[in-house]
Amino acid sequence: MGIVLKQSFRNTLITYLGFGIGGINTIFLYTNFLSDENYGLVSVIVSIAVILTPIISFGVPNSLVKYYSSFKDNAQLEGFLTLMLLLPLVLMIPLAVLCYFAYDLIGDLLAIKNSIVKGYVWYMFIIGVAMSYFEIFYAWSKVHLQSVFGNFLKEVFIRVGVMLLLVLFYFDIISLPFFLKALVGLYLLRTLVMKLYAYTIKLPRLRFSFPRNTKAILSYTSVIIVGGSVAVILLEVDKFMINQYIEIKNVAYYTVAAYIATVIAVPARAMHQITYPLTAEIMNKGDKKELLQLYQKSSLTLFIAAGLLFVLILINLPDLYEVLPTAYRGGFTIVFLIGIAKVYDSLLGNNNAILYNSEYYRALLLMGVFLAAFTILCNLWLIPEYGINGAAIATLIAIMVYNTIKMLYIQLKFKIHPFTKATFKVMLLLLVVGIPLFYISLPFHAIVNIVIKSSLVIVVYVGALYRFNISEDISKVLSKFLTRKTK
């Protein structure tokens, strides 16, 4: 776990920087600089682009991670990399043709409830293409265990660019149409920079003699399209469905609440950048003992981090809402429900990586079809009934069911699970620390209250982790930190 902790720590710092900037954008700048309707429009454009990403990328990012380390012959490797660069065109070109000839029809379908969405079909498609190739070149660097720069581009670059655009829009230097075009340009520029960086690590040589296991690779990528699409549907379809049933301004309200809860997933996003290629390497070696160790340690580490963030968010949410515009203050239920889903997702560690890199990856196809249909049906039922809270309920149900099925499947096939005695110690610690402070209200300014409560929780929580040595990895990091402080 040394290399995992080292790069995960750097990635966590970068990801938190990105989420901090994104938080300023999402919670303060968007809410004050754009109208509710325009903010909702931006959210819908990006969400639909995200939904398109796993389809356009054709499962290539996961295939790169799974198969790259298995090639020992250079000619075979070059053929493999050429195949990875060309595969996305299989779906990208037909989708582009569809957008061209059915532009008005697609626009009408998206604009059933909100006509403002109709004119932005190409924006969604181009951003989706840019995101797809970004993930491909990012995976290109991750297989060489070089994930930090790509993580910076993914988490920080776009958000800084958006912040600049929002400020320019606020001072009437640019118009809304220019803002949206520039947003598309930011995603394209990020992909270009990622491509250049990936090529400095490993410059491809086009070789159209594809590897001997091409059939197996194509089979794998086809399944991953479904698996990746399901993961995205679980995260993004709620915003798309809200746009289809209620006023688009509600997408803005939901986006703010969901973003607050999404902060819980930051440690997982950071750690997965390195645990995915490591899991692939371990499984290529067939080392079951090392796989179990990585599974349980990643689960415990992520549960510790996600649980702390969940507690911090809940105890500080009333104060945070005091500094938001009134229309955005009704999202406690959304934050709580999505927060629970994110904690559970973190608790299962690198289970996705295990399934994606195993011989049982085809099971994802069945799971994916079931969960995609289940998620959409939940949204169809709950959004008209409960509005944006219904979208959060649907997300929670879908993620809990999906992750539980995957965990049980891994237990069945590999005879391993992510839980240890330390898991339940952390759960008890979170309850002991979080419940009393949730009911305590301080009389100071909202920001001061947040600082005081957060500091108290962190000191008690981290102190207990260190005192009782609940996580060996966390204790080592804390010991090194304390040793430096005492020198």
Side-chain angles (χ1 to χ4, degrees):
M1 287 290 285
I3 189 171
V4 175
L5 283 176
K6 185 176 181 180
Q7 287 211 32
S8 292
F9 178 71
R10 293 174 181 173
N11 282 328
T12 299
L13 292 180
I14 291 171
T15 306
Y16 269 112
L17 174 62
F19 263 70
I21 298 168
I24 295 171
N25 292 343
T26 302
I27 299 173
F28 300 108
L29 300 190
Y30 270 124
T31 56
N32 289 286
F33 291 3
L34 292 185
S35 67
D36 300 354
E37 185 180 64
N38 287 335
Y39 186 8
L41 172 62
V42 173
S43 297
V44 170
I45 290 172
V46 175
S47 291
I48 293 176
V50 172
I51 291 171
L52 289 173
T53 298
I55 299 172
I56 297 172
S57 64
F58 209 88
V60 167
N62 291 96
S63 299
L64 263 170
V65 172
K66 176 177 173 60
Y67 288 102
Y68 186 90
S69 62
S70 67
F71 290 101
K72 308 305 179 185
D73 179 72
N74 194 53
Q76 289 283 301
L77 179 60
E78 289 174 354
F80 170 70
L81 293 177
T82 301
L83 179 65
M84 294 295 97
L85 290 175
L86 296 179
L87 269 181
L89 300 178
V90 172
L91 291 178
M92 186 177 75
I93 293 175
L95 285 174
V97 172
L98 179 64
C99 283
Y100 181 79
F101 287 104
Y103 185 88
D104 289 334
L105 176 61
I106 296 170
D108 288 337
L109 290 173
L110 295 175
I112 290 174
K113 185 68 180 180
N114 299 288
S115 59
I116 190 175
V117 178
K118 183 174 181 178
Y120 296 97
V121 175
W122 279 119
Y123 290 56
M124 301 167 189
F125 177 76
I126 294 172
I127 292 176
V129 170
M131 287 179 171
S132 299
Y133 267 100
F134 173 82
E135 292 298 335
I136 291 168
F137 294 124
Y138 188 15
W140 194 290
S141 65
K142 282 194 287 187
V143 294
H144 294 91
L145 301 183
Q146 300 293 323
S147 63
V148 176
F149 181 71
N151 196 43
F152 173 82
L153 290 177
K154 184 171 186 173
E155 304 293 354
V156 177
F157 179 81
I158 290 291
R159 290 171 172 136
V160 170
V162 167
M163 177 180 284
L164 177 61
L165 292 176
L166 286 169
V167 171
L168 293 175
F169 177 79
Y170 178 74
F171 287 104
D172 292 323
I173 297 172
I174 62 174
S175 63
L176 181 67
F178 186 92
F179 174 91
L180 295 172
K181 288 183 176 67
L183 183 64
V184 176
L186 274 175
Y187 281 99
L188 290 171
L189 178 60
R190 183 184 68 165
T191 301
L192 176 61
V193 174
M194 188 70 244
K195 174 184 176 180
L196 295 174
Y197 177 75
Y199 283 1
T200 62
I201 298 173
K202 173 69 177 178
L203 185 65
R205 290 181 58 190
L206 294 181
R207 183 184 292 270
F208 295 97
S209 176
F210 298 143
R212 289 184 293 272
N213 58 341
T214 295
K215 184 177 179 180
I217 294 171
L218 292 177
S219 176
Y220 178 77
T221 58
S222 301
V223 173
I224 294 303
I225 292 172
V226 177
S229 297
V230 168
V232 169
I233 284 173
L234 292 176
L235 295 174
E236 298 293 337
V237 77
D238 42 13
K239 297 170 192 171
F240 168 74
M241 299 289 285
I242 291 170
N243 171 66
Q244 297 300 102
Y245 282 98
I246 53 181
E247 291 181 284
I248 199 169
K249 64 182 181 181
N250 288 283
V251 180
Y253 306 148
Y254 184 86
T255 297
V256 171
Y259 188 88
I260 293 170
T262 303
V263 172
I264 295 167
V266 173
R269 289 177 64 163
M271 182 176 282
H272 289 335
Q273 309 306 330
I274 191 66
T275 55
Y276 264 71
L278 276 180
T279 302
E281 186 177 343
I282 289 170
M283 298 190 75
N284 284 334
K285 292 189 300 183
D287 191 334
K288 187 174 179 180
K289 182 178 179 181
E290 191 175 353
L291 179 64
L292 173 63
Q293 185 180 51
L294 182 62
Y295 193 22
Q296 292 185 338
K297 285 194 173 185
S298 64
S299 168
L300 181 60
T301 302
L302 291 179
F303 184 42
I304 288 170
L308 172 60
L309 290 171
F310 183 55
V311 168
L312 289 174
I313 288 170
L314 287 188
I315 66 173
N316 290 312
L317 199 55
D319 290 305
L320 178 60
Y321 278 152
E322 288 296 315
V323 299
L324 289 179
T326 304
Y328 290 88
R329 296 180 184 178
F332 180 85
T333 301
I334 298 169
V335 174
F336 179 78
L337 294 175
I338 296 181
I340 290 288
K342 297 298 181 184
V343 172
Y344 186 57
D345 198 41
S346 296
L347 178 61
L348 300 186
N350 66 327
N351 68 335
N352 272 338
I354 293 173
L355 280 176
Y356 281 137
N357 291 290
S358 74
E359 62 183 300
Y360 306 109
Y361 66 86
R362 291 179 181 84
L364 289 173
L365 179 62
L366 182 60
M367 296 180 199
V369 171
F370 168 74
L371 261 297
F374 181 72
T375 303
I376 292 170
L377 288 173
C378 283
N379 278 282
L380 286 171
W381 165 42
L382 293 167
I383 292 176
E385 189 75 21
Y386 301 106
I388 56 178
N389 286 339
I393 296 169
T395 298
L396 173 63
I397 294 172
I399 290 178
M400 295 288 282
V401 171
Y402 188 44
N403 281 330
T404 300
I405 291 173
K406 288 190 292 184
M407 178 185 67
L408 293 175
Y409 191 80
I410 290 173
Q411 170 67 33
L412 176 66
K413 295 298 182 181
F414 295 92
K415 310 302 180 188
I416 59 175
H417 62 79
F419 309 127
T420 63
K421 290 181 181 179
T423 304
F424 301 98
K425 292 179 182 178
V426 173
M427 192 178 298
L428 178 62
L429 178 60
L430 289 169
L431 293 172
V432 170
V433 173
I435 291 177
L437 281 173
F438 180 76
Y439 293 101
I440 294 176
S441 179
L442 299 178
F444 311 113
H445 185 275
I447 301 299
V448 176
N449 292 341
I450 290 173
V451 171
I452 292 174
K453 282 188 173 182
S454 298
S455 300
L456 182 59
V457 167
I458 291 170
V459 169
V460 174
Y461 185 74
V462 174
L465 288 173
Y466 184 69
R467 170 65 179 81
F468 298 106
N469 194 29
I470 294 176
S471 166
E472 181 181 338
D473 289 319
I474 298 295
S475 295
K476 285 180 180 178
V477 172
L478 291 174
S479 294
K480 288 181 181 179
F481 177 77
L482 293 173
T483 301
R484 290 175 185 173
K485 286 291 184 180
T486 55
K487 286 184 179 180

